[in-house]
């Protein structure tokens, strides 16, 4: 547990920043059960290893999200460092954000796979270094753990998942640093297609994706208008990606984002 969650604790702002911090301890008793403490207070006791890791991960995520959403708009999005900027993969749970972000880490270091802060007025993004959270059955993502320990977790939102350290893939050492958003990707994993399909997201599909994946103060319609203004003002590329092969999708996206086209439509067989 210590190795897995060290990134979440160590990556948080420290006291001298004047920002909140949160300290966790996972204790194993002589009976073999676990107890979890937060800031010296009990969070749960008499737990199995899986129950302890689930409780720990859920509290870290809930606290981080509640803190971040007070600072800026928060997107349900993975993030990868791409040169001097960042690429976000936005979408609902199960759309394939984590798999694509992990595949992209071969080219662009991983910043986060769960949520990303977005400054809609400046076109900038940053995130907290949470552990990677992979759904059960995701063989591609689990294979990238390279033999590292993955802790099983259970949550009402994601069901059964596995968490492992960000260090199992190439990771951005400073995901809290603001980076210009270069591209926004709306992925959809579809095992029924062959290869990769990349195109311009249709407006009628884009609206619910953005509204369903963006949290912040104010009315949802206002957030959508700010989002679209940001895309236009900062020349941010938009792509929709339907894929069955995450590595092929990652290669296509790298070529497209590094190219000159704002959006395109290609199919890789």
């Amino acid at each position: 547990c210590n190795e897995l969650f060290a990134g979440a604790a160590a990556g948080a702002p420290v006291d001298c920043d004047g920002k909140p911090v949160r300290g966790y301890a996972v204790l194993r008793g002589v009976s073999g059960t676990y107890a979890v403490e937060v800031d010296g207070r009990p969070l749960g006791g008499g737990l199995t290893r899986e129950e302890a890791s689930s409780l720990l991960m859920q509290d870290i995520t809930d606290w981080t999200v509640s803190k971040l959403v007070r600072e800026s708009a928060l997107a349900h999005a993975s993030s990868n460092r791409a040169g001097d900027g960042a690429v976000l993969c936005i979408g609902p749970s199960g759309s394939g954000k984590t798999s694509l972000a992990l595949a992209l880490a071969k080219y662009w270091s991983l910043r986060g796979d769960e949520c990303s802060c977005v400054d809609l007025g400046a076109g900038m993004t940053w995130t907290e270094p949470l552990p990677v959270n992979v759904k059960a059955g995701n063989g591609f993502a689990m294979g990238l753990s390279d033999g590292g320990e993955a802790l099983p977790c259970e949550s009402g939102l994601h069901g059964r998942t596995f968490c492992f350290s960000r260090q199992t893939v190439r990771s951005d050492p400073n995901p809290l640093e603001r980076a210009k958003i270069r591209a926004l990707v709306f992925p959809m994993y579809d095992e029924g297609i062959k290869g990769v399909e990349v195109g311009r997201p249709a407006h009628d599909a884009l609206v619910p994706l953005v509204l369903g994946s963006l949290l912040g103060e104010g009315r949802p319609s206002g957030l959508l208008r700010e989002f679209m203004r940001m895309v236009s003002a900062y020349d941010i590329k938009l792509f929709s990606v339907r894929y069955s092969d995450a590595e092929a999708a990652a290669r296509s996206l790298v070529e497209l984002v590094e190219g000159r086209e704002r959006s395109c439509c290609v199919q890789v067989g």
Side-chain angles (χ1 to χ4, degrees):
C1 286
N2 289 340
E3 178 182 353
L4 176 66
F5 292 101
V14 295
D15 288 325
C16 62
D17 292 33
K19 295 183 178 180
V21 294
R22 196 166 177 88
Y24 292 92
V26 179
L27 311 172
R28 185 179 182 183
V30 293
S31 63
T33 61
Y34 292 82
V36 179
E37 295 181 354
V38 55
D39 292 338
R41 301 187 304 274
L43 189 61
L47 306 171
T48 65
R49 186 168 178 269
E50 181 171 339
E51 289 171 339
S53 60
S54 297
L55 181 62
L56 183 59
M57 185 63 196
Q58 190 63 56
D59 192 79
I60 289 174
T61 302
D62 290 348
W63 181 79
T64 301
V65 168
S66 67
K67 180 172 72 72
L68 293 180
V69 79
R70 293 192 297 269
E71 298 176 2
S72 70
L74 188 65
H76 192 189
S78 63
S79 177
N80 291 78
R81 168 74 79 168
D84 60 352
V87 172
L88 304 186
C89 294
I90 301 179
S93 178
S95 61
K97 298 186 303 297
T98 295
S99 293
L100 191 51
L102 294 174
L104 284 169
K106 179 178 179 180
Y107 311 95
W108 299 325
S109 58
L110 178 71
R111 306 196 92 200
D113 78 301
E114 185 63 28
C115 57
S116 301
C117 291
V118 178
D119 185 336
L120 296 170
M124 306 290 281
T125 183
W126 66 98
T127 190
E128 291 276 1
L130 293 170
V132 175
N133 192 13
V134 174
K135 292 178 180 60
N138 189 335
F140 168 75
M142 289 297 295
L144 294 178
S145 64
D146 196 26
E149 185 176 21
L151 287 181
C153 297
E154 190 79 30
S155 75
L157 177 62
H158 296 113
R160 186 171 178 80
T161 64
F162 292 87
C163 296
F164 56 85
S165 170
R166 297 170 67 253
Q167 305 309 315
T168 56
V169 295
R170 191 161 64 100
S171 299
D172 185 348
N174 189 14
L176 287 164
E177 182 181 50
R178 292 180 175 234
K180 179 185 181 296
I181 300 173
R182 295 182 60 186
L184 296 167
V185 179
F186 299 89
M188 178 53 66
Y189 175 77
D190 183 352
E191 62 181 9
I193 74 165
K194 182 180 179 181
V196 185
E197 295 177 1
V198 184
R200 180 192 297 272
H203 186 269
D204 58 350
L206 182 63
V207 171
L209 281 172
V210 173
L211 292 180
S213 304
L214 198 63
L215 297 174
E217 296 182 357
R219 297 172 62 86
S221 58
L223 283 174
L224 179 63
R225 285 194 297 271
E226 288 185 57
F227 177 88
M228 298 309 296
R229 279 198 295 266
M230 176 189 73
V231 169
S232 177
Y234 295 99
D235 198 31
I236 297 172
K237 297 180 179 180
L238 297 179
F239 300 106
S240 61
V241 180
R242 185 177 295 272
Y243 73 92
S244 60
D245 183 332
E247 293 177 313
R251 289 193 297 270
S252 297
L253 277 173
V254 170
E255 292 175 1
L256 293 170
V257 172
E258 299 297 350
R260 295 183 179 180
E261 296 296 327
R262 278 185 53 81
S263 62
C264 63
C265 184
V266 301
Q267 180 168 341
V268 180

PDB file of all heavy atoms in Angstrom, residues 16-42:
ATOM      1  N   CYS A  16       3.722  24.441   3.307  1.00  0.00           N
ATOM      2  CA  CYS A  16       4.315  25.763   3.083  1.00  0.00           C
ATOM      3  C   CYS A  16       3.647  26.484   1.913  1.00  0.00           C
ATOM      4  O   CYS A  16       3.826  27.687   1.749  1.00  0.00           O
ATOM      5  CB  CYS A  16       5.818  25.642   2.852  1.00  0.00           C
ATOM      6  SG  CYS A  16       6.267  24.680   1.397  1.00  0.00           S
ATOM      7  N   ASP A  17       2.874  25.754   1.081  1.00  0.00           N
ATOM      8  CA  ASP A  17       2.161  26.389  -0.016  1.00  0.00           C
ATOM      9  C   ASP A  17       0.921  27.119   0.464  1.00  0.00           C
ATOM     10  O   ASP A  17       0.300  27.859  -0.290  1.00  0.00           O
ATOM     11  CB  ASP A  17       1.706  25.338  -1.047  1.00  0.00           C
ATOM     12  CG  ASP A  17       2.862  24.717  -1.791  1.00  0.00           C
ATOM     13  OD1 ASP A  17       3.918  24.588  -1.185  1.00  0.00           O
ATOM     14  OD2 ASP A  17       2.694  24.360  -2.954  1.00  0.00           O
ATOM     15  N   GLY A  18       0.520  26.836   1.701  1.00  0.00           N
ATOM     16  CA  GLY A  18      -0.726  27.391   2.189  1.00  0.00           C
ATOM     17  C   GLY A  18      -1.931  26.664   1.629  1.00  0.00           C
ATOM     18  O   GLY A  18      -3.047  27.175   1.661  1.00  0.00           O
ATOM     19  N   LYS A  19      -1.719  25.462   1.068  1.00  0.00           N
ATOM     20  CA  LYS A  19      -2.794  24.671   0.502  1.00  0.00           C
ATOM     21  C   LYS A  19      -3.030  23.432   1.356  1.00  0.00           C
ATOM     22  O   LYS A  19      -2.152  22.996   2.095  1.00  0.00           O
ATOM     23  CB  LYS A  19      -2.453  24.256  -0.936  1.00  0.00           C
ATOM     24  CG  LYS A  19      -2.343  25.424  -1.893  1.00  0.00           C
ATOM     25  CD  LYS A  19      -2.072  24.931  -3.308  1.00  0.00           C
ATOM     26  CE  LYS A  19      -2.003  26.109  -4.273  1.00  0.00           C
ATOM     27  NZ  LYS A  19      -1.745  25.653  -5.670  1.00  0.00           N
ATOM     28  N   PRO A  20      -4.228  22.851   1.264  1.00  0.00           N
ATOM     29  CA  PRO A  20      -4.537  21.695   2.116  1.00  0.00           C
ATOM     30  C   PRO A  20      -3.749  20.458   1.735  1.00  0.00           C
ATOM     31  O   PRO A  20      -3.419  20.240   0.570  1.00  0.00           O
ATOM     32  CB  PRO A  20      -6.030  21.472   1.871  1.00  0.00           C
ATOM     33  CG  PRO A  20      -6.275  22.051   0.515  1.00  0.00           C
ATOM     34  CD  PRO A  20      -5.350  23.223   0.404  1.00  0.00           C
ATOM     35  N   VAL A  21      -3.408  19.665   2.728  1.00  0.00           N
ATOM     36  CA  VAL A  21      -2.773  18.369   2.521  1.00  0.00           C
ATOM     37  C   VAL A  21      -3.576  17.337   3.300  1.00  0.00           C
ATOM     38  O   VAL A  21      -4.408  17.672   4.150  1.00  0.00           O
ATOM     39  CB  VAL A  21      -1.305  18.359   3.003  1.00  0.00           C
ATOM     40  CG1 VAL A  21      -0.451  19.275   2.167  1.00  0.00           C
ATOM     41  CG2 VAL A  21      -1.214  18.722   4.466  1.00  0.00           C
ATOM     42  N   ARG A  22      -3.354  16.073   3.010  1.00  0.00           N
ATOM     43  CA  ARG A  22      -4.097  14.995   3.660  1.00  0.00           C
ATOM     44  C   ARG A  22      -3.154  13.814   3.815  1.00  0.00           C
ATOM     45  O   ARG A  22      -2.563  13.365   2.834  1.00  0.00           O
ATOM     46  CB  ARG A  22      -5.310  14.632   2.817  1.00  0.00           C
ATOM     47  CG  ARG A  22      -6.389  13.804   3.531  1.00  0.00           C
ATOM     48  CD  ARG A  22      -7.640  13.852   2.663  1.00  0.00           C
ATOM     49  NE  ARG A  22      -8.752  13.069   3.142  1.00  0.00           N
ATOM     50  CZ  ARG A  22      -9.672  13.504   3.996  1.00  0.00           C
ATOM     51  NH1 ARG A  22      -9.579  14.741   4.482  1.00  0.00           N
ATOM     52  NH2 ARG A  22     -10.679  12.739   4.373  1.00  0.00           N
ATOM     53  N   GLY A  23      -3.000  13.336   5.044  1.00  0.00           N
ATOM     54  CA  GLY A  23      -2.066  12.248   5.313  1.00  0.00           C
ATOM     55  C   GLY A  23      -2.785  10.951   5.624  1.00  0.00           C
ATOM     56  O   GLY A  23      -3.753  10.927   6.388  1.00  0.00           O
ATOM     57  N   TYR A  24      -2.316   9.847   5.026  1.00  0.00           N
ATOM     58  CA  TYR A  24      -2.937   8.542   5.216  1.00  0.00           C
ATOM     59  C   TYR A  24      -1.959   7.562   5.861  1.00  0.00           C
ATOM     60  O   TYR A  24      -0.749   7.644   5.646  1.00  0.00           O
ATOM     61  CB  TYR A  24      -3.384   7.959   3.874  1.00  0.00           C
ATOM     62  CG  TYR A  24      -4.527   8.703   3.228  1.00  0.00           C
ATOM     63  CD1 TYR A  24      -4.282   9.729   2.322  1.00  0.00           C
ATOM     64  CD2 TYR A  24      -5.847   8.376   3.516  1.00  0.00           C
ATOM     65  CE1 TYR A  24      -5.327  10.414   1.723  1.00  0.00           C
ATOM     66  CE2 TYR A  24      -6.898   9.065   2.917  1.00  0.00           C
ATOM     67  CZ  TYR A  24      -6.628  10.073   2.018  1.00  0.00           C
ATOM     68  OH  TYR A  24      -7.670  10.755   1.440  1.00  0.00           O
ATOM     69  N   ALA A  25      -2.519   6.633   6.617  1.00  0.00           N
ATOM     70  CA  ALA A  25      -1.745   5.529   7.163  1.00  0.00           C
ATOM     71  C   ALA A  25      -2.571   4.261   7.035  1.00  0.00           C
ATOM     72  O   ALA A  25      -3.773   4.262   7.319  1.00  0.00           O
ATOM     73  CB  ALA A  25      -1.400   5.773   8.633  1.00  0.00           C
ATOM     74  N   VAL A  26      -1.927   3.190   6.568  1.00  0.00           N
ATOM     75  CA  VAL A  26      -2.574   1.881   6.473  1.00  0.00           C
ATOM     76  C   VAL A  26      -1.840   0.947   7.435  1.00  0.00           C
ATOM     77  O   VAL A  26      -0.641   0.742   7.308  1.00  0.00           O
ATOM     78  CB  VAL A  26      -2.526   1.323   5.036  1.00  0.00           C
ATOM     79  CG1 VAL A  26      -3.195  -0.052   4.975  1.00  0.00           C
ATOM     80  CG2 VAL A  26      -3.193   2.279   4.060  1.00  0.00           C
ATOM     81  N   LEU A  27      -2.569   0.425   8.418  1.00  0.00           N
ATOM     82  CA  LEU A  27      -1.972  -0.369   9.486  1.00  0.00           C
ATOM     83  C   LEU A  27      -2.492  -1.804   9.420  1.00  0.00           C
ATOM     84  O   LEU A  27      -3.705  -2.039   9.275  1.00  0.00           O
ATOM     85  CB  LEU A  27      -2.319   0.235  10.847  1.00  0.00           C
ATOM     86  CG  LEU A  27      -2.069   1.753  10.991  1.00  0.00           C
ATOM     87  CD1 LEU A  27      -2.632   2.259  12.303  1.00  0.00           C
ATOM     88  CD2 LEU A  27      -0.588   2.050  10.863  1.00  0.00           C
ATOM     89  N   ARG A  28      -1.578  -2.742   9.559  1.00  0.00           N
ATOM     90  CA  ARG A  28      -1.966  -4.149   9.585  1.00  0.00           C
ATOM     91  C   ARG A  28      -1.843  -4.670  11.006  1.00  0.00           C
ATOM     92  O   ARG A  28      -0.792  -4.573  11.637  1.00  0.00           O
ATOM     93  CB  ARG A  28      -1.084  -4.976   8.658  1.00  0.00           C
ATOM     94  CG  ARG A  28      -1.523  -6.439   8.566  1.00  0.00           C
ATOM     95  CD  ARG A  28      -0.654  -7.231   7.625  1.00  0.00           C
ATOM     96  NE  ARG A  28      -1.108  -8.602   7.507  1.00  0.00           N
ATOM     97  CZ  ARG A  28      -0.495  -9.535   6.794  1.00  0.00           C
ATOM     98  NH1 ARG A  28       0.614  -9.221   6.131  1.00  0.00           N
ATOM     99  NH2 ARG A  28      -0.977 -10.770   6.734  1.00  0.00           N
ATOM    100  N   GLY A  29      -2.952  -5.224  11.514  1.00  0.00           N
ATOM    101  CA  GLY A  29      -2.974  -5.732  12.874  1.00  0.00           C
ATOM    102  C   GLY A  29      -2.452  -7.153  12.961  1.00  0.00           C
ATOM    103  O   GLY A  29      -2.235  -7.825  11.949  1.00  0.00           O
ATOM    104  N   VAL A  30      -2.267  -7.634  14.191  1.00  0.00           N
ATOM    105  CA  VAL A  30      -1.746  -8.989  14.396  1.00  0.00           C
ATOM    106  C   VAL A  30      -2.722 -10.038  13.875  1.00  0.00           C
ATOM    107  O   VAL A  30      -2.323 -11.165  13.543  1.00  0.00           O
ATOM    108  CB  VAL A  30      -1.454  -9.231  15.899  1.00  0.00           C
ATOM    109  CG1 VAL A  30      -0.313  -8.348  16.365  1.00  0.00           C
ATOM    110  CG2 VAL A  30      -2.702  -8.979  16.746  1.00  0.00           C
ATOM    111  N   SER A  31      -3.998  -9.689  13.789  1.00  0.00           N
ATOM    112  CA  SER A  31      -4.998 -10.628  13.282  1.00  0.00           C
ATOM    113  C   SER A  31      -4.988 -10.719  11.763  1.00  0.00           C
ATOM    114  O   SER A  31      -5.681 -11.561  11.181  1.00  0.00           O
ATOM    115  CB  SER A  31      -6.395 -10.197  13.746  1.00  0.00           C
ATOM    116  OG  SER A  31      -6.734  -8.925  13.196  1.00  0.00           O
ATOM    117  N   GLY A  32      -4.209  -9.843  11.115  1.00  0.00           N
ATOM    118  CA  GLY A  32      -4.141  -9.840   9.657  1.00  0.00           C
ATOM    119  C   GLY A  32      -5.116  -8.887   8.995  1.00  0.00           C
ATOM    120  O   GLY A  32      -5.108  -8.749   7.771  1.00  0.00           O
ATOM    121  N   THR A  33      -5.968  -8.225   9.788  1.00  0.00           N
ATOM    122  CA  THR A  33      -6.885  -7.241   9.215  1.00  0.00           C
ATOM    123  C   THR A  33      -6.199  -5.876   9.159  1.00  0.00           C
ATOM    124  O   THR A  33      -5.173  -5.652   9.800  1.00  0.00           O
ATOM    125  CB  THR A  33      -8.180  -7.134  10.036  1.00  0.00           C
ATOM    126  OG1 THR A  33      -7.854  -6.704  11.366  1.00  0.00           O
ATOM    127  CG2 THR A  33      -8.907  -8.467  10.076  1.00  0.00           C
ATOM    128  N   TYR A  34      -6.808  -4.964   8.402  1.00  0.00           N
ATOM    129  CA  TYR A  34      -6.212  -3.658   8.160  1.00  0.00           C
ATOM    130  C   TYR A  34      -7.086  -2.546   8.734  1.00  0.00           C
ATOM    131  O   TYR A  34      -8.305  -2.673   8.835  1.00  0.00           O
ATOM    132  CB  TYR A  34      -6.034  -3.415   6.655  1.00  0.00           C
ATOM    133  CG  TYR A  34      -5.001  -4.295   6.014  1.00  0.00           C
ATOM    134  CD1 TYR A  34      -5.321  -5.596   5.636  1.00  0.00           C
ATOM    135  CD2 TYR A  34      -3.715  -3.839   5.777  1.00  0.00           C
ATOM    136  CE1 TYR A  34      -4.376  -6.420   5.041  1.00  0.00           C
ATOM    137  CE2 TYR A  34      -2.758  -4.649   5.181  1.00  0.00           C
ATOM    138  CZ  TYR A  34      -3.102  -5.942   4.806  1.00  0.00           C
ATOM    139  OH  TYR A  34      -2.167  -6.746   4.216  1.00  0.00           O
ATOM    140  N   ALA A  35      -6.422  -1.456   9.101  1.00  0.00           N
ATOM    141  CA  ALA A  35      -7.098  -0.234   9.514  1.00  0.00           C
ATOM    142  C   ALA A  35      -6.549   0.916   8.684  1.00  0.00           C
ATOM    143  O   ALA A  35      -5.371   0.932   8.324  1.00  0.00           O
ATOM    144  CB  ALA A  35      -6.872   0.044  11.002  1.00  0.00           C
ATOM    145  N   VAL A  36      -7.412   1.880   8.342  1.00  0.00           N
ATOM    146  CA  VAL A  36      -7.005   3.039   7.563  1.00  0.00           C
ATOM    147  C   VAL A  36      -7.247   4.293   8.391  1.00  0.00           C
ATOM    148  O   VAL A  36      -8.323   4.457   8.983  1.00  0.00           O
ATOM    149  CB  VAL A  36      -7.804   3.135   6.244  1.00  0.00           C
ATOM    150  CG1 VAL A  36      -7.378   4.363   5.447  1.00  0.00           C
ATOM    151  CG2 VAL A  36      -7.615   1.873   5.416  1.00  0.00           C
ATOM    152  N   GLU A  37      -6.233   5.143   8.475  1.00  0.00           N
ATOM    153  CA  GLU A  37      -6.345   6.408   9.192  1.00  0.00           C
ATOM    154  C   GLU A  37      -6.106   7.555   8.224  1.00  0.00           C
ATOM    155  O   GLU A  37      -5.303   7.438   7.295  1.00  0.00           O
ATOM    156  CB  GLU A  37      -5.329   6.487  10.337  1.00  0.00           C
ATOM    157  CG  GLU A  37      -5.561   5.464  11.437  1.00  0.00           C
ATOM    158  CD  GLU A  37      -4.543   5.602  12.560  1.00  0.00           C
ATOM    159  OE1 GLU A  37      -3.601   6.425  12.406  1.00  0.00           O
ATOM    160  OE2 GLU A  37      -4.678   4.892  13.572  1.00  0.00           O
ATOM    161  N   VAL A  38      -6.797   8.666   8.455  1.00  0.00           N
ATOM    162  CA  VAL A  38      -6.579   9.873   7.674  1.00  0.00           C
ATOM    163  C   VAL A  38      -6.360  11.021   8.643  1.00  0.00           C
ATOM    164  O   VAL A  38      -7.177  11.263   9.536  1.00  0.00           O
ATOM    165  CB  VAL A  38      -7.761  10.144   6.717  1.00  0.00           C
ATOM    166  CG1 VAL A  38      -9.081  10.208   7.451  1.00  0.00           C
ATOM    167  CG2 VAL A  38      -7.527  11.444   5.935  1.00  0.00           C
ATOM    168  N   ASP A  39      -5.226  11.694   8.491  1.00  0.00           N
ATOM    169  CA  ASP A  39      -4.850  12.794   9.383  1.00  0.00           C
ATOM    170  C   ASP A  39      -4.937  12.373  10.850  1.00  0.00           C
ATOM    171  O   ASP A  39      -5.376  13.138  11.707  1.00  0.00           O
ATOM    172  CB  ASP A  39      -5.742  14.013   9.132  1.00  0.00           C
ATOM    173  CG  ASP A  39      -5.480  14.644   7.767  1.00  0.00           C
ATOM    174  OD1 ASP A  39      -4.394  14.425   7.214  1.00  0.00           O
ATOM    175  OD2 ASP A  39      -6.371  15.347   7.256  1.00  0.00           O
ATOM    176  N   GLY A  40      -4.544  11.126  11.112  1.00  0.00           N
ATOM    177  CA  GLY A  40      -4.516  10.630  12.485  1.00  0.00           C
ATOM    178  C   GLY A  40      -5.853  10.166  13.021  1.00  0.00           C
ATOM    179  O   GLY A  40      -5.949   9.714  14.163  1.00  0.00           O
ATOM    180  N   ARG A  41      -6.907  10.249  12.209  1.00  0.00           N
ATOM    181  CA  ARG A  41      -8.239   9.821  12.642  1.00  0.00           C
ATOM    182  C   ARG A  41      -8.626   8.534  11.930  1.00  0.00           C
ATOM    183  O   ARG A  41      -8.299   8.362  10.745  1.00  0.00           O
ATOM    184  CB  ARG A  41      -9.275  10.910  12.344  1.00  0.00           C
ATOM    185  CG  ARG A  41      -8.997  12.248  13.006  1.00  0.00           C
ATOM    186  CD  ARG A  41     -10.156  13.215  12.789  1.00  0.00           C
ATOM    187  NE  ARG A  41     -10.466  13.392  11.387  1.00  0.00           N
ATOM    188  CZ  ARG A  41      -9.865  14.281  10.596  1.00  0.00           C
ATOM    189  NH1 ARG A  41      -8.920  15.070  11.094  1.00  0.00           N
ATOM    190  NH2 ARG A  41     -10.216  14.396   9.334  1.00  0.00           N
ATOM    191  N   PRO A  42      -9.350   7.632  12.611  1.00  0.00           N
ATOM    192  CA  PRO A  42      -9.731   6.369  11.971  1.00  0.00           C
ATOM    193  C   PRO A  42     -10.728   6.586  10.832  1.00  0.00           C
ATOM    194  O   PRO A  42     -11.692   7.326  10.969  1.00  0.00           O
ATOM    195  CB  PRO A  42     -10.348   5.561  13.118  1.00  0.00           C
ATOM    196  CG  PRO A  42     -10.795   6.593  14.114  1.00  0.00           C
ATOM    197  CD  PRO A  42      -9.800   7.704  14.022  1.00  0.00           C
TER     198      PRO A  42
END
